[in-house]
Each structure stands twice: as C-alpha cells, then as structure tokens.
Amino acid sequence: MINVDITVNDEGKVTDVIMDGHANQGEYGHDIVCAGVSAVLFGSVSAIMGLTTEKPDIDYEDDGGYFHIRSVDINNKEAQLILQAMLVSLQTIEEEYNENIRLNYK
C-alpha cells in the first residue's frame, strides 16, 4: 500500500508530504495506481519548481517507494495551490483504489 502522510498547519497549508510504499495493484511496470500517483506527485513538484520561485527540499529513493517534499513556503500562494491540487488528485485516486493508497492527514 502507498501511504501518503500530509502535514497541514492550522491555516490548512501543506508543510510536508511523504509518500512511502508500493501500490501492488498490478505487476511491476503495469501498476496503474503506482503510475497515477507517481505522475501526480512528480508533475506537481515539477510545476512548483517550474512555475513558482520555490525550490522545495526533496528526498527520494531511486527504486521508488519513497518521496518526501518539504520546505515549501507556506506563504507562496501559487506553490500552495499546486500542492492543494495535488492532494485533490491523490484523493480521487484514493476513492477508487482505497486498498492501494491511503492519505493520512497530520
């Protein structure tokens, strides 16, 4: 299962996102949940870096299964909007594939 731990401050702004685990929905290379989650996550981080002044601190494992985004300025409205859009997309995937992905808000 993919666990996505999302830390949100009292104002509802995203401060930290950790994705850990594997969906195990299909065989390696054919797992649509993994592909969808990865596309949403990498696309969102690329959008933050390409469309805003933010350069988030990112940590990941080369073989997949772990990705950590942190140090996004909570006052950067554009970056926060992209993060919120990312969460909406991940929630949509979770609704359909709740045995393969779980979002945990902290």
Side-chain angles (χ1 to χ4, degrees):
M1 167 155 319
I2 297 172
N3 282 293
V4 184
D5 294 332
I6 303 124
T7 305
V8 180
N9 70 9
D10 292 339
E11 298 171 357
K13 297 183 179 180
V14 178
T15 61
D16 197 66
V17 178
I18 300 172
M19 180 188 75
D20 192 25
H22 294 278
N24 297 317
Q25 187 272 338
E27 63 183 79
Y28 183 80
H30 299 279
D31 188 326
I32 61 171
V33 175
C34 179
V37 170
S38 295
V40 167
L41 188 68
F42 285 104
S44 298
V45 170
S46 293
I48 289 169
M49 293 171 55
L51 299 173
T52 75
T53 58
E54 288 299 306
K55 301 296 181 228
D57 185 14
I58 301 167
D59 187 24
Y60 62 92
E61 291 180 2
D62 289 333
D63 65 346
Y66 181 80
F67 197 94
H68 188 178
I69 308 164
R70 59 187 165 272
S71 303
V72 176
D73 183 357
I74 60 171
N75 296 313
N76 186 317
K77 292 179 183 180
E78 293 85 5
Q80 284 295 316
L81 182 60
I82 293 168
L83 287 171
Q84 293 296 330
M86 177 187 78
L87 296 180
V88 170
S89 295
L90 291 174
Q91 288 167 357
T92 302
I93 296 170
E94 180 187 39
E95 288 172 9
E96 186 68 28
Y97 297 98
N98 58 16
E99 293 180 6
N100 306 102
I101 179 173
R102 176 142 309 117
L103 275 60
N104 309 299
Y105 290 88
K106 299 179 174 194

